[in-house]
Amino acid sequence: MPQQRPRVIIVGAGFGGLEAAKALSRVAVDVIVVDRQNHHCFQPLLYQVATAALSPAEIAWPIRHMLRQQPNATVFMAEVRAVDLAAQFVETNAGPMSYDYLVIATGATHSYFGHDDWAEFAPGLKRIEDATRIRRSILLAFEQAELAGNDAERQRLLTFVIVGGGATGVEMAGAIAEIARQTLAKDFRRIDPRSARIILLEAGPRVLPTLPEDLSRYAERALTRMGVDVRTSTRVTSCDRRGVELDHGRIDAGAAIWAAGVVASPAASWLGAPHDRAGRVLVRPDLSVPDHPEVFVIGDAAAVQGEKGEPVPGVAPAAKQMGRYVGRLIAARVAGKSLPVFRYRNLGELATIGRRAAVVKFGRLRLKGFIGWLFWSLAHIYFLIGVKNRFIVAFTWLWDYVTFQRGARLITEVPPPGRG
Ligand SMILES: Cc1cc2nc3c(=O)[nH]c(=O)nc-3n(C[C@H](O)[C@H](O)[C@H](O)COP(=O)(O)OP(=O)(O)OC[C@H]3O[C@@H](n4cnc5c(N)ncnc54)[C@H](O)[C@@H]3O)c2cc1C
């Protein structure tokens, strides 16, 4: 009787899970990739879908297609709900699946700090559906302002609030300012879209807090030049249908976007494993779960320490490095070998502020302005999947750059009146 090959279940086909699957492509194991969505999403460009620069299909690809050349990989579209560590199976909405090795790469989502009801009024950006919903709310606000019967209502509808001054908040604020000041400038008759107020709220003392101070000051100045009202040390205390409450005052708004907190997927509760305050599983130095060397948690769902004890950031390169490492570790174990512990290599940080402006920290290199923007654009095009997408996105950006246009300005699935 032929010997059964070890079965590796990878939950989540984001940056980490896909990389783990690929690292096992030449190994004598059966790889099962389980994801609740049928596509892998390039999250760093989600804000461009939310602000009508790119279409969803330009930043997301079917997982099945991405793994079609890997004969030992099978893809199941299913949602994992629990893990039985003793019996070694995962519980999904399509039934149980048994494993010899388990890799959990289910990522993170936005956190409303215990106020999940705010999500209805200030959606966060994590999935394609979130991006198209935000796109709709921004474009609808302009449409409704054109119809508004009085100045106060018009002003409210033309006010956009972004909560959170990290990379996503900065990118969203810059992009909405460009839509208002350039793209839509001549498209309306009763309103002047250039009069829109874009307000970026950050609870801490500066935007882009993980970047060096000079770069975050530069980003703040660049945003202000673009007409964004940047308010640091300002905390949101509540969100409702017509705006946000602050620790000092209130802002009535046509659309609010949440880019503030992050919480890990519930992997820690599936595993009964220790976790940090953001719900990330405290893994061992080889990324395995304490007392379970056959179970690994990687990417945004894991709390990992760098060489100097600093936390490994929740970014795509970190998730990819962890995925590659765990794939190689499983391959080594199957071959009766071992590997040294995981080491994170920090590749730097970047954020774009708008056309012609971005900030980049890459090792000792620091870039800003147009050079930073070129670097940012090339880096993102390089990491997109497929030659066709690289061409389409590069061409779209070039076209938008020259014409100030945004081609994906579609309002779809308009909700009934009164619903965002
Ligand atoms: C708006 C935004 C902008 C970002 N910008 C940048 C950037 O510019 N640069 C950068 O480096 N990083 C950026 N990041 C962070 C980066 O995207 C994440 O660090 C990275 O995606 C983490 O990879 P992951 O594999 O851990 O999880 P993810 O890529 O989030 O993948 C998780 C996968 O698990 C699946 N899943 C979740 N739960 C289940 C379940 N119960 N059952 C089955 N499947 C499940 C999901 O469908 C998803 O496919 C950004 C993130 C966001 C949200």
Side-chain angles (χ1 to χ4, degrees):
M1 212 170 102
Q3 229 195 338
Q4 269 214 327
R5 306 202 306 176
R7 203 171 203 241
V8 183
I9 293 194
I10 299 173
V11 187
F15 287 104
L18 271 184
E19 209 62 26
K22 286 191 214 152
L24 288 164
S25 64
R26 291 166 199 275
V27 183
V29 293
D30 290 321
V31 178
I32 312 287
V33 176
V34 185
D35 200 298
R36 62 186 174 194
Q37 301 183 127
N38 83 328
H39 54 269
H40 166 84
C41 172
F42 190 82
Q43 293 169 24
L45 288 182
L46 265 177
Y47 85 96
Q48 295 235 342
V49 174
T51 54
L54 295 175
S55 293
E58 285 157 6
I59 66 153
W61 309 274
I63 299 161
R64 199 168 286 298
H65 182 74
M66 294 172 79
L67 291 172
R68 72 193 185 286
Q69 310 272 30
Q70 188 171 328
N72 72 343
T74 302
V75 178
F76 289 133
M77 184 176 163
E79 176 154 352
V80 169
R81 291 170 172 171
V83 176
D84 187 330
L85 285 167
Q88 296 199 187
F89 66 78
V90 292
E91 198 64 73
T92 78
N93 60 349
M97 300 178 189
S98 67
Y99 64 81
D100 297 297
Y101 294 96
L102 175 62
V103 181
I104 297 188
T106 41
T109 188
H110 17 266
S111 154
Y112 290 85
F113 310 117
H115 300 279
D116 286 352
D117 51 312
W118 297 355
E120 191 188 342
F121 313 117
L125 190 56
K126 177 68 187 174
R127 309 208 273 183
I128 290 285
E129 296 88 327
D130 302 327
T132 51
R133 179 180 167 197
I134 290 173
R135 178 179 74 183
R136 183 174 64 219
S137 71
I138 295 170
L139 296 176
L140 262 182
F142 284 102
E143 295 297 337
Q144 288 167 351
E146 180 83 338
L147 289 166
N150 63 68
D151 276 350
E153 183 62 357
R154 198 169 298 126
Q155 205 172 44
R156 179 185 78 80
L157 288 162
L158 289 179
T159 300
F160 299 89
V161 171
I162 300 103
V163 187
T168 300
V170 165
E171 290 171 347
M172 283 297 304
I176 298 175
E178 282 176 356
I179 294 179
R181 313 268 185 266
Q182 291 154 2
T183 315
L184 300 181
K186 295 184 183 149
D187 288 13
F188 291 83
R189 296 293 168 263
R190 296 180 62 193
I191 58 162
D192 180 359
R194 288 170 300 186
S195 67
R197 291 164 72 209
I198 295 102
I199 305 172
L200 177 61
L201 304 173
E202 164 58 41
R206 62 183 172 107
V207 298
L208 301 176
T210 55
L211 277 169
E213 192 155 353
D214 58 325
L215 292 184
S216 68
R217 295 285 168 231
Y218 168 82
E220 190 172 331
R221 282 197 305 276
L223 284 169
T224 308
R225 269 198 306 275
M226 293 167 74
V228 176
D229 177 357
V230 181
R231 300 192 195 171
T232 50
S233 305
T234 304
R235 197 174 293 276
V236 169
T237 54
S238 158
C239 302
D240 56 59
R241 201 172 294 287
R242 295 179 64 84
V244 296
E245 292 285 343
L246 309 177
D247 38 10
H248 302 290
R250 172 181 173 84
I251 303 173
D252 286 334
I257 295 135
W258 189 261
V262 172
V263 65
S265 68
S269 74
W270 298 340
L271 302 169
H275 56 84
D276 67 5
R277 277 175 49 197
R280 298 176 307 170
V281 175
L282 298 169
V283 289
R284 292 170 42 80
D286 66 355
L287 309 184
S288 66
V289 174
D291 302 324
H292 286 278
E294 74 290 1
V295 179
F296 303 89
V297 183
I298 62 171
D300 282 4
V304 182
Q305 287 193 344
E307 266 176 71
K308 293 176 193 145
E310 77 288 4
V312 172
V315 291
K320 287 174 110 170
Q321 288 176 33
M322 291 184 217
R324 211 171 304 137
Y325 170 81
V326 161
R328 287 184 189 151
L329 181 61
I330 293 173
R333 294 245 188 100
V334 169
K337 297 180 186 156
S338 60
L339 271 193
V341 297
F342 172 72
R343 289 256 176 276
Y344 170 60
R345 205 157 63 91
N346 190 340
L347 298 178
E349 245 187 278
L350 40 167
T352 177
I353 304 151
R355 292 159 56 93
R356 305 179 64 94
V359 284
V360 176
K361 180 173 168 284
F362 193 70
R364 289 204 186 145
L365 184 72
R366 287 178 191 193
L367 303 173
K368 53 190 180 193
F370 185 62
I371 298 285
W373 181 80
L374 270 185
F375 187 96
W376 177 92
S377 305
L378 291 174
H380 282 75
I381 286 171
Y382 175 77
F383 284 110
L384 284 174
I385 289 152
V387 177
K388 185 176 143 210
N389 281 307
R390 289 190 191 127
F391 270 118
I392 292 176
V393 171
F395 178 76
T396 307
W397 285 352
L398 193 64
W399 183 256
D400 292 356
Y401 187 81
V402 175
T403 62
F404 290 91
Q405 280 310 309
R406 284 174 178 258
R409 275 164 40 197
L410 306 181
I411 301 177
T412 51
E413 296 165 42
V414 181
R419 305 241 357 249

